[in-house]
Amino acid sequence: RVELSPWGSFIATFHQQGIALWAGPEFTKKVRLPHPNTKEILFSPNEEFVLLWNGADPGSNDDKAVRIFHVLTGQCVRSCRTPYLPPKDAQIAPGAGEWPLFAWSPDAKFIAECTDSRVLVRDTDNFELVPDEQGKRNGLKFDNLKSFQWSPKDNVIAVWTTEKDNNPARLVLVEIPTRKELASRSRTQCEAEVHWHSQGDYLCLQVTKLSKTKKRLATNLEIFRIRERSIPVDIVTIEDVVKGFFWETKGNRFAVLTMDEQGHKPRLLIFRCGAEKTEAIAGFDLPSNSFNSVVWAPEGQYFIVASVASASGASSSGDLLFACLTQSNNLEILHKDEHYMLNTIQWDHSSRYVITAVTQPIQSDMGGYKYSMEAGYAIWTLQGRNLLRQQKEKLYGVSWRPHPPSMLSDAKQNEIRKNIKQYSKKYDAMDDQAKEAARQAFRRERESKLNAFLEILDRLKDWKAERMEENNWAEAMEAFDEAQGWTQEEQIIEEQLGVTEELIAG
């Protein structure tokens, strides 16, 4: 098994004794991190620390089940037991399940740990709990804890607790390290999911109302405007069943996949968070009910609607719709294709290419055998043109190498996007110069080769003339021709093909 670090600086390989980190121009082995039977790895966003877990149960006496290492020195800075797990239906972070039990803050200054009723936040300077207003070092207590997620850009935690007895379900936004409660919402008789915007500008609380018989009713999308004063909330009501919610990366739009109660009439809906309200801007009737995922490009605007195999093992048809949402909010379907049984879709950092793949689990189970028959990957342009399709036996994983964050500020990037035509002219001129230089180099090389070939022909011609003069070949040929008695006759045939008469005015 292999993992890439968040900026692509390191490759981590799993071994029985622990983890090896490879880096440098040739990716040579740099650091060994001893932790036998490592099951999971979690880099900090700035690649300063890495957390390893050996999969031990919370009830075990393994005090070193979880170990945190400093990447450059390989020094272990903290070790602990596996935290007590919440209920199995809990969603700790994106990627529900028993892992990850930990989550790094976006600036890597804090690491949060989840138990059944507390969120423990530690400072990465000394890995001590963050103190409260009285200076006491304790965790954030939440009864019936269901999920917690860091904002992708700010040190803000979104915590969702479930309804129990007379206590309603709650969403709480907590600022770290001040522990200040920024906003909260209470709901009853519902199911909910939390979706952070990639820049932390918005948060969506997807609330599906439940009847007394647990039948799903309408869904409310509650959009929290994190950057605005008092964090106002927009509510979008969707009567159909919501299959998925997907924020546009680095944008203010989001996509929703819906279907009716019978599982028919699949639709793609696009909404925009405007200055005053959140409104629908586009809709599209999907050709198949198999579509279950929307994958936005890292720079937004372009996205793929896909049928992706679920983690539970359900197969997919592999249908793909390449689409674009213009700056004027017009939806364009660029191309339709398929990659049968695909279970992996990933855009590259530049948003120009996308890879789709069928990978199989490393464990030799029935699911692995099923995927092994179709294992392979394909590379596409953002418009949906297939560049490469490769069958690959025993393909366990595929990924683009991550890039470090841009050195340009957000303001500078927005300025470039706004004035993209001016920058395009400059780089188009540079491209034209490079193309002209390449054409001239090609012409020079072709002329050089042609001249060299003609020089060889001239040498052969001179050599032939010299040999003919030495051996009297010319006189012998003339004598041979005269002996044959051949005569030369010339005949000219003229044929009139047509006549055209034109009247020329005097």
Side-chain angles (χ1 to χ4, degrees):
R1 180 179 166 186
V2 175
E3 292 282 346
L4 283 161
S5 62
W7 293 355
S9 304
F10 298 94
I11 292 179
T13 55
F14 287 63
H15 305 273
Q16 185 175 1
Q17 298 84 1
I19 297 294
L21 297 182
W22 309 70
E26 304 296 330
F27 277 101
T28 55
K29 187 182 294 185
K30 299 294 184 181
V31 183
R32 293 183 178 88
L33 306 177
H35 194 50
N37 302 317
T38 298
K39 296 295 189 298
E40 299 291 346
I41 184 171
L42 189 64
F43 281 93
S44 63
N46 62 357
E47 299 182 345
E48 183 179 0
F49 300 100
V50 60
L51 181 147
L52 308 180
W53 179 51
N54 63 9
D57 293 329
S60 66
N61 295 323
D62 189 352
D63 293 330
K64 295 183 178 180
V66 178
R67 304 188 75 186
I68 300 177
F69 292 87
H70 191 275
V71 169
L72 294 182
T73 64
Q75 178 185 1
C76 180
V77 294
R78 184 173 187 268
S79 60
C80 64
R81 296 187 179 186
T82 302
Y84 180 79
L85 298 176
K88 289 186 178 180
D89 62 346
Q91 179 184 346
I92 306 307
E98 296 182 351
W99 178 264
L101 301 167
F102 299 83
W104 297 96
S105 65
D107 60 2
K109 291 183 178 180
F110 304 96
I111 183 171
E113 171 188 334
C114 175
T115 67
D116 58 336
S117 61
R118 293 178 183 271
V119 176
L120 307 176
V121 182
R122 300 179 184 274
D123 191 326
T124 55
D125 288 337
N126 49 26
F127 289 93
E128 296 289 340
L129 290 174
V130 174
D132 57 15
E133 295 179 352
Q134 287 76 33
K136 297 181 179 179
R137 298 184 181 274
N138 49 37
L140 303 170
K141 185 175 181 180
F142 298 98
D143 294 331
N144 309 317
L145 177 62
K146 175 69 178 292
S147 71
F148 84 93
Q149 297 179 28
W150 285 100
S151 163
K153 290 293 182 180
D154 307 302
N155 290 334
V156 175
I157 294 179
V159 179
W160 175 253
T161 62
T162 57
E163 180 180 3
K164 187 175 182 181
D165 299 331
N166 294 326
N167 297 321
R170 293 185 71 220
L171 171 71
V172 184
L173 299 180
V174 182
E175 185 182 56
I176 301 296
T178 63
R179 298 189 177 213
K180 178 182 177 182
E181 186 175 302
L182 302 179
S184 65
R185 303 282 281 192
S186 297
R187 291 290 178 266
T188 58
Q189 292 185 332
C190 68
E191 294 179 345
E193 295 180 17
V194 177
H195 307 278
W196 274 106
H197 180 259
S198 63
Q199 303 300 107
D201 298 336
Y202 307 95
L203 179 140
C204 174
L205 177 62
Q206 178 184 329
V207 180
T208 302
K209 299 177 183 178
L210 301 177
S211 65
K212 293 183 179 180
T213 59
K214 300 300 181 181
K215 179 182 178 181
R216 294 186 176 184
L217 305 176
T219 297
N220 286 341
L221 304 177
E222 303 184 17
I223 309 298
F224 291 72
R225 297 174 177 263
I226 303 298
R227 306 298 181 196
E228 298 183 21
R229 185 177 180 181
S230 301
I231 310 184
V233 180
D234 298 345
I235 298 180
V236 177
T237 301
I238 298 179
E239 299 296 336
D240 289 336
V241 178
V242 175
K243 296 176 64 177
F245 177 96
F246 310 91
W247 280 110
E248 177 189 19
T249 312
K250 296 183 180 180
N252 62 344
R253 300 173 291 196
F254 59 87
V256 180
L257 295 178
T258 67
M259 62 182 179
D260 61 15
E261 292 183 359
Q262 288 74 35
H264 305 304
K265 298 181 179 179
R267 296 207 73 204
L268 168 68
L269 304 177
I270 306 291
F271 295 83
R272 181 177 70 91
C273 299
E276 300 295 333
K277 62 178 181 179
T278 300
E279 56 187 356
I281 57 174
F284 178 72
D285 293 329
L286 297 172
S288 168
N289 198 36
S290 63
F291 293 99
N292 56 11
S293 181
V294 176
V295 186
W296 289 91
E299 297 297 325
Q301 186 173 354
Y302 291 90
F303 62 93
I304 297 174
V305 188
S307 171
V308 182
S310 65
S312 60
S315 300
S316 76
S317 63
D319 292 332
L320 298 169
L321 278 180
F322 293 81
C324 171
L325 199 60
T326 65
Q327 296 298 327
S328 56
N329 298 320
N330 294 323
L331 177 62
E332 299 178 359
I333 303 300
L334 305 177
H335 181 66
K336 183 180 185 300
D337 216 306
E338 70 171 10
H339 188 166
Y340 183 60
M341 291 185 68
L342 76 90
N343 53 16
T344 301
I345 299 180
Q346 188 181 37
W347 287 86
D348 85 308
H349 179 75
S350 69
S351 297
R352 295 182 178 182
Y353 306 99
V354 63
I355 189 168
T356 60
V358 179
T359 61
Q360 63 184 94
I362 295 180
Q363 296 81 5
S364 57
D365 54 14
M366 289 302 296
Y369 175 77
K370 176 178 65 176
Y371 287 116
S372 67
M373 303 299 292
E374 298 292 336
Y377 62 92
I379 298 178
W380 316 74
T381 65
L382 57 88
Q383 297 93 350
R385 181 166 59 91
N386 183 245
L387 301 177
L388 174 68
R389 190 182 290 269
Q390 179 72 48
Q391 292 295 115
K392 194 72 173 178
E393 186 180 356
K394 297 181 179 179
L395 180 63
Y396 300 118
V398 60
S399 175
W400 298 101
R401 182 182 178 183
H403 281 223
S406 173
M407 299 180 67
L408 299 177
S409 64
D410 292 340
K412 184 62 176 178
Q413 293 183 48
N414 292 331
E415 177 191 346
I416 293 174
R417 291 191 185 95
K418 185 177 180 181
N419 303 315
I420 189 65
K421 292 184 178 180
Q422 298 180 9
Y423 289 99
S424 296
K425 291 179 180 178
K426 173 184 175 182
Y427 290 106
D428 286 344
M430 294 174 61
D431 289 343
D432 292 340
Q433 293 176 2
K435 290 178 182 178
E436 181 60 28
R439 283 193 290 266
Q440 291 179 1
F442 174 75
R443 284 195 294 267
R444 287 194 298 268
E445 182 181 4
R446 183 175 59 183
E447 291 176 358
S448 175
K449 291 182 178 180
L450 179 59
N451 292 335
F453 179 70
L454 293 176
E455 183 180 350
I456 293 174
L457 291 181
D458 291 340
R459 291 203 306 268
L460 290 175
K461 185 177 179 181
D462 294 341
W463 178 83
K464 179 182 177 183
E466 292 176 0
R467 297 296 295 172
M468 291 181 68
E469 183 178 355
E470 291 177 3
N471 300 318
N472 296 322
W473 284 355
E475 297 178 0
M477 287 299 296
E478 291 177 1
F480 175 78
D481 291 340
E482 292 176 357
Q484 300 301 316
W486 292 344
T487 59
Q488 180 175 346
E489 295 182 0
E490 293 185 2
Q491 185 179 4
I492 300 175
I493 301 176
E494 295 182 358
E495 181 179 355
Q496 182 174 314
L497 300 178
V499 178
T500 302
E501 296 182 0
E502 296 183 2
L503 181 61
I504 301 176

